């Protein structure tokens, strides 16, 4: 891992099942994450992904790249444009800081309407465990 290293992009198909399953798995039963009619009544064109699912996908992106020994130390993300069913979110990342076995990665997840998620992830990669 080196400063300026770009992680390969990860494309995630945003399906209705992914949105609902992520909400259920994170025990987020807000109707806007599983009931399209309720989401429309609240001003959204459809159900949308919750932040906990997004957080998990960002973590997966980092550990997929750095390997199973990677330890997430800090995840600091902000949501922007919603992830709706039928779209694709593309995660990209750049290593912006390296200190020993720990790196900070700037992450952006974009979909068809803009930036869904942005932020940084601090990850420690024990020697010999990097991909």
């Amino acid at each position: 891992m080196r400063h300026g290293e770009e992680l390969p992009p990860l494309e995630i198909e945003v399906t209705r099942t992914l949105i609902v399953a992520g909400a259920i798995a994170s025990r987020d039963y807000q109707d806007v994450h599983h009931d399209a009619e309720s989401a429309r009544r609240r001003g959204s064109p459809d159900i949308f992904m919750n932040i906990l699912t997004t957080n998990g996908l960002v973590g997966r992106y980092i550990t997929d790249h750095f390997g199973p020994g990677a330890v997430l130390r800090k995840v600091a993300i902000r949501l922007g444009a919603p992830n709706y069913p039928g779209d694709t979110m593309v995660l990209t990342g750049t290593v912006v800081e390296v200190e020993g076995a720990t790196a900070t990665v700037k992450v952006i997840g974009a979909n068809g309407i803009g930036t869904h998620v942005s932020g940084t992830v601090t990850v420690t990669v024990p020697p010999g465990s990097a991909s």
Side-chain angles (χ1 to χ4, degrees), residues 11-127:
E11 290 188 11
I12 297 170
E13 298 299 320
V14 181
T15 65
R16 190 167 299 280
T17 300
L18 175 62
I19 293 169
V20 173
I24 291 169
S26 61
R27 303 177 99 178
D28 182 348
Y29 304 118
Q30 292 292 317
D31 55 6
V32 295
H33 302 308
H34 64 84
D35 184 331
E37 190 55 42
S38 290
R40 282 191 279 281
R41 278 195 306 270
R42 292 175 185 243
S44 178
D46 205 340
I47 64 171
F48 54 90
M49 186 176 287
N50 72 353
I51 192 168
L52 297 170
T53 303
T54 299
N55 194 66
L57 292 170
V58 167
R60 170 193 162 196
Y61 177 56
I62 297 299
T63 58
D64 278 0
H65 179 75
F66 290 104
V71 178
L72 301 179
R73 299 293 180 187
K74 180 179 179 184
V75 178
I77 59 172
R78 170 179 290 165
L79 291 183
N83 264 343
Y84 293 118
D87 209 339
T88 300
M89 178 175 65
V90 180
L91 288 165
T92 57
T94 305
V95 176
V96 293
E97 185 179 332
V98 177
E99 188 174 315
T102 300
T104 300
V105 182
K106 179 180 177 185
V107 177
I108 295 174
N111 60 32
I113 57 176
T115 298
H116 170 68
V117 63
S118 60
T120 58
V121 178
T122 303
V123 58
T124 299
V125 183

